[in-house]
Amino acid sequence: MIESNLQNQEDYGSPFRGRRGLILAIDSSCDETAASVCCDGRILSNIIANQTVHEQYGGVVPELASRAHIQNIVPVVDAALSTANCQLSSINAIAFTQAPGLIGSLLVGAQFAKSLALALNIPLIAVHHMQAHVLANLISEPKPSFPFLCLTVSGGHTQIVVAHTPLQLEVIGETIDDAAGEAFDKTAKMIGLPYPGGPLVDQHAQNGNPRAFKFAEPQVPGLDFSFSGLKTSVLYFLQDAIQKDNDFISKNLDDLCASVQYTIIRILMKKLKKAVEQTGISRVCIAGGVSANSGLRNALKEYGARHNWQTFIPPFEYCTDNAAMIAITGYYKFLAKDFADLNISPTARAEW
Ligand code: KG4
Ligand code: ZN
């Protein structure tokens, strides 16, 4: 068994007296290769290489994603270090996404991070990607104080989380089937928009009428979500409409996008409101790729103003996948000396 041979902060702190932690972070959970450097919780660089190879396939092809990560990881890490104006030898710890994600993609980032930690003789920090999405709210001012609620909406997850402290997060609601991002991407596909459809639905929705078409909303008890019924509702609606008019989609694209987006946001906001009522916590954040959605961002601001919530929305670059959120999470774990052994493996799925 290989173990990190660093037992305490003094072992690696000496070149940086006065500085608590310079962290290099890597995220390779899906189809973005990302690296970031943060110093004492301040982000110095945030580099992302997007993979365009998947567009032609209408979704992420895991094998191609892993290959692209291997090609991208060295230049992305180099760019993160040079933008932060620091040398690899100055880094105090390496943080990486350990779970969840595509296993082949995770393996590339994990092996790279482990090799660096071993070569540099510095601690390794394993980060949960969904926890990092939540902590993206702690990167820029204004930051929420604890405890706060976070609606985390990404391509694979939809969760309501209570953040008690940076490292004590509790999931109090989640989807029982599809994620909100999947609902965007799958309905986008049905109306002929390329992958990933979420941002395109957002763009078209800005010119459409959100009440033009009505789609089914799920009746799920408690704080859990369901989006598979919406997908079916859109499918049946389109089949019927196309039978009557073959050009229905092209004639109504903006209204369709606006109506689907409106329904997804209503489902999300209803549960978020319920979570505020149940927990009594009215500091409310959003996170994850879908939190880049202009309709959701506006809805949170409106609900906040109407219900007297304090609302927090991360800048766009920290909503979709990025390594700055891994770096900030790594920083809190670094302060807690929550280090991983070098024999740690990434996992595709992971409970909190
Ligand atoms: O967090 P993320 O970048 O990756 C995952 O961890 O899954 O989320 C990706 C998801 C995709 O489903 C994408 O369509 C969606 O976020 N997304 C959006 C927008 N930007 C990204 N959905 C709606 N509106 C957007 N502006
Ligand atoms: Zn993500």
Side-chain angles (χ1 to χ4, degrees):
M1 185 173 100
I2 308 167
E3 280 185 2
S4 169
N5 55 3
L6 288 159
Q7 306 304 324
N8 58 53
Q9 210 164 330
E10 284 67 48
D11 289 335
Y12 50 82
S14 52
F16 289 96
R17 281 201 187 93
R19 177 194 287 163
R20 283 186 292 178
L22 192 63
I23 316 260
L24 169 65
I26 293 164
D27 182 68
S28 66
S29 58
C30 190
D31 61 338
E32 264 110 20
T33 320
S36 168
V37 174
C38 100
C39 179
D40 289 354
R42 197 164 56 88
I43 300 300
L44 304 182
S45 62
N46 183 32
I47 306 294
I48 301 173
N50 295 305
Q51 302 180 1
T52 49
V53 62
H54 309 285
E55 278 165 17
Q56 60 191 298
Y57 300 100
V60 177
V61 183
E63 168 79 19
L64 297 180
S66 309
R67 285 165 187 255
H69 282 306
I70 287 172
Q71 284 168 345
N72 293 341
I73 198 149
V74 171
V76 165
V77 168
D78 270 350
L81 289 166
S82 60
T83 306
N85 203 14
C86 78
Q87 307 278 327
L88 197 49
S89 55
S90 310
I91 296 293
N92 298 123
I94 310 283
F96 73 103
T97 301
Q98 188 257 334
L102 298 172
I103 193 65
S105 292
L106 289 167
L107 275 165
V108 176
Q111 284 311 114
F112 194 85
K114 285 161 70 165
S115 309
L116 277 183
L118 183 64
L120 298 170
N121 199 23
I122 56 176
L124 181 70
I125 301 172
V127 172
H128 191 292
H129 183 86
M130 297 314 293
Q131 175 176 14
H133 269 305
V134 175
L135 298 197
N137 281 284
L138 301 182
I139 295 176
S140 325
E141 297 293 346
K143 297 173 194 170
S145 46
F146 293 91
F148 64 82
L149 286 179
C150 185
L151 171 71
T152 318
V153 270
S154 71
H157 294 78
T158 302
Q159 299 178 324
I160 299 179
V161 174
V162 182
H164 299 283
T165 70
L167 302 182
Q168 254 189 309
L169 305 185
E170 182 191 359
V171 179
I172 56 169
E174 58 191 326
T175 184
I176 57 171
D177 42 53
D178 291 351
E182 272 176 289
F184 270 105
D185 296 339
K186 287 180 180 173
T187 50
K189 198 170 183 179
M190 286 184 220
I191 53 180
L193 297 174
Y195 178 87
L200 297 169
V201 171
D202 189 356
Q203 275 171 30
H204 285 285
Q206 289 171 29
N207 305 317
N209 173 8
R211 289 185 180 79
F213 309 110
K214 201 165 164 34
F215 300 113
E217 284 183 36
Q219 305 299 323
V220 183
L223 297 175
D224 287 338
F225 301 90
S226 166
F227 288 100
S228 66
L230 171 64
K231 189 178 58 188
T232 316
S233 169
V234 175
L235 178 69
Y236 289 160
F237 172 82
L238 289 176
Q239 282 174 347
D240 191 48
I242 291 166
Q243 244 180 10
K244 291 173 190 147
D245 176 359
N246 215 17
D247 297 327
F248 177 82
I249 291 180
S250 56
K251 286 180 191 162
N252 296 281
L253 191 58
D254 292 346
D255 284 351
L256 277 168
C257 289
S259 303
V260 167
Q261 179 169 301
Y262 176 77
T263 314
I264 294 172
I265 293 170
R266 254 176 76 91
I267 297 169
L268 293 171
M269 293 307 298
K270 267 188 186 172
K271 293 290 172 137
L272 196 51
K273 182 164 171 280
K274 202 169 182 177
V276 172
E277 287 162 3
Q278 278 188 16
T279 60
I281 300 169
S282 57
R283 276 181 293 275
V284 187
C285 306
I286 50 175
V290 180
S291 68
N293 182 269
S294 56
L296 181 61
R297 295 167 88 87
N298 289 336
L300 184 70
K301 283 183 210 149
E302 278 169 27
Y303 267 65
R306 205 176 332 137
H307 301 289
N308 217 11
W309 300 349
Q310 244 186 306
T311 57
F312 301 86
I313 301 176
F316 283 109
E317 66 264 36
Y318 303 138
C319 290
T320 45
D321 284 350
N322 66 86
M325 66 184 195
I326 308 299
I328 196 85
T329 310
Y331 174 64
Y332 285 105
K333 289 193 143 195
F334 180 84
L335 293 182
K337 298 190 180 181
D338 184 354
F339 302 139
D341 279 347
L342 285 178
N343 63 352
I344 192 169
S345 296
T347 47
R349 291 179 174 275
E351 294 300 317
W352 289 57

